[in-house]
Amino acid sequence: MPQQDPPAMHDLAAPLRVGIVGTGEIARAHLPGWQDLGAELHCVGLQGADEFAREAGATAHGSLEALLAAVDVVDVCTPTPDHPAIVRAALDAGRDVVCEKPLALTGEEALDLVAHAERAGRMLFPAHVVRYFPQYVAAREAVRRGDIGTLAVLRFERTGALPDRPWYADEELSGGIVMDQMIHDLDQALWLAGDAERVYAQQSIAASDGAVRTAHVVLTHRSGALSHCRGFWGPEGTQFRYTFDLAGDAGRLQYDSAADVGIAFDPVASARQAAGDGFLPDVSTMRDPYAAELADFVRARATGAPARVEAADGARAVEVARAALESLRTGRSIAC
Ligand SMILES: NC(=O)c1ccc[n+]([C@@H]2O[C@H](COP(=O)([O-])OP(=O)(O)OC[C@H]3O[C@@H](n4cnc5c(N)ncnc54)[C@H](O)[C@@H]3O)[C@@H](O)[C@H]2O)c1
């Protein structure tokens, strides 16, 4: 009898079954990445889950329990206050978890989630997507190679419109600009210059428009390097922009997304960047960093090798952001 070719690997492997919890803005940013990975999609949400399911070709479930019974992996995309309970339920059901940043609103709760994942023997992947933006990856490589010598002063800026979902403006729910938006740059500072030991923060809220606010956070790293992070939430229409400026004793490395239209001669690429909604950066001219982070999670889950961002990194970013909030409250520099 003639031998048949063995089936290709992808024929043998069942698609990963992914349950997205919360079907708002960031769930839509994750969608192309899961689709690229060939995932079988499920979702549950308080509002708009049926519409999301139609767009995504996903199965909508009526409860978190029903979704947990149908999937291998849970992707937590709800507003931040709901992260801990959903992460715990997913881990208790034996599922591996991707959770949007911040993992939780307090360091204690974030550390408890890390311990919970360890006890359950499951992965908890905090979705710190900026570690997958090529500009920051290139900066980290340059720093590791020693291109700019020993780091001395790092500056990070992030500007965008205050997201229009009302829970963002409520600091009790979102943690405000430091916990929600600047946490990206706090994580970058820690990733590039190592752990921090002190934090000092200032914030100003526009008298004329409570939605407009600026925060500054200065970290003193254990190495002695200083990081200054500036976050700005502007009114509707504010263009998304991010910059960094890394100074070491052998050189300086700078990046400004406003000066980088991707493909300079392409009017479509330039127009897309200028017309973004201000809530999320335009990623149309780079490898989709949301897709890259999900692919890294899937690779780490399959191989047991570490992912670029681990649960403890997500908890540390929350602890440092929380110390910055304590500095805002007390006006003092806070040990972290
Ligand atoms: N990585 C990034 O760059 C980035 C960008 C934006 C948002 N985020 C984070 O993603 C999370 C979600 O933000 P968003 O902008 O998508 O919010 P959103 O308000 O647009 O969407 C949240 C969705 O969750 C649903 N929901 C609320 N509570 C729920 C619950 N208990 N169970 C199931 N569904 C529930 C809502 O109905 C809504 O569909 C936040 O933690 C935010 O900080 C990360």
Side-chain angles (χ1 to χ4, degrees):
M1 209 169 108
Q3 290 259 305
Q4 288 197 330
D5 283 344
M9 273 309 287
H10 65 267
D11 293 330
L12 287 175
L16 186 68
R17 301 172 306 160
V18 175
I20 298 176
V21 185
T23 52
E25 179 102 3
I26 202 66
R28 284 185 166 75
H30 287 198
L31 196 51
W34 288 127
Q35 288 170 331
D36 281 357
L37 290 161
E40 176 189 303
L41 291 171
H42 297 254
C43 65
V44 66
L46 291 188
Q47 293 114 22
D50 289 332
E51 187 192 338
F52 181 88
R54 267 195 304 281
E55 279 171 41
T59 303
H61 293 269
S63 68
L64 178 62
E65 292 68 31
L67 173 125
L68 291 177
V71 301
D72 310 302
V73 161
V74 174
D75 181 10
V76 183
C77 295
T78 62
T80 307
D82 293 316
H83 291 179
I86 297 167
V87 168
R88 286 192 191 100
L91 293 170
D92 289 343
R95 308 298 174 239
D96 293 306
V97 179
V98 174
C99 179
E100 259 308 331
K101 46 52 60 183
L103 275 181
L105 287 169
T106 67
E108 292 79 5
E109 186 127 63
L111 286 168
D112 185 66
L113 295 181
V114 178
H116 204 109
E118 275 165 15
R119 279 195 304 276
R122 308 307 323 179
M123 263 183 88
L124 172 59
F125 176 89
H128 279 275
V129 71
V130 178
R131 291 196 188 199
Y132 297 85
F133 273 66
Q135 305 88 336
Y136 294 86
V137 175
R140 170 144 153 124
E141 286 308 308
V143 168
R144 281 163 73 108
R145 277 195 309 268
D147 291 359
I148 56 171
T150 301
L151 285 174
V153 179
L154 301 84
R155 293 182 190 280
F156 301 89
E157 284 189 22
R158 192 161 299 269
T159 289
L162 171 71
D164 61 0
R165 280 79 74 211
W167 68 270
Y168 277 100
D170 183 339
E171 301 216 344
E172 294 294 311
L173 300 180
S174 68
I177 186 170
V178 170
M179 182 62 79
D180 189 82
Q181 184 242 44
M182 191 193 285
I183 196 166
H184 287 299
D185 289 317
L186 297 176
D187 178 59
Q188 280 304 306
L190 299 173
W191 198 43
L192 288 162
D195 205 7
E197 58 187 20
R198 288 206 85 76
V199 54
Y200 179 71
Q202 285 283 317
Q203 173 171 255
S204 61
I205 300 179
S208 56
D209 181 350
V212 175
R213 60 198 60 197
T214 309
H216 297 266
V217 171
V218 177
L219 300 181
T220 307
H221 294 271
R222 292 191 197 285
S223 67
L226 294 176
S227 286
H228 170 213
C229 301
R230 174 182 181 273
F232 177 67
W233 263 346
E236 195 183 337
T238 305
Q239 201 178 322
F240 203 102
R241 180 179 180 190
Y242 47 99
T243 75
F244 58 77
D245 181 340
L246 313 176
D249 62 5
R252 192 164 167 199
L253 192 59
Q254 292 168 291
Y255 178 79
D256 181 346
S257 66
D260 172 11
V261 293
I263 307 167
F265 55 83
D266 181 344
V268 176
S270 312
R272 278 187 68 117
Q273 192 181 45
D277 63 8
F279 301 139
L280 293 176
D282 173 39
V283 294
S284 60
T285 57
M286 63 182 92
R287 181 177 178 215
D288 177 355
Y290 303 97
E293 71 178 341
L294 297 176
D296 191 36
F297 161 78
V298 168
R299 179 199 53 76
R301 180 176 183 271
T303 62
R308 188 176 301 165
V309 54
E310 304 226 87
D313 301 320
R316 185 65 186 140
V318 172
E319 282 185 308
V320 172
R322 196 69 202 186
L325 295 182
E326 181 66 4
S327 175
L328 284 182
R329 199 180 63 76
T330 60
R332 296 201 319 267
S333 153
I334 302 291
C336 57

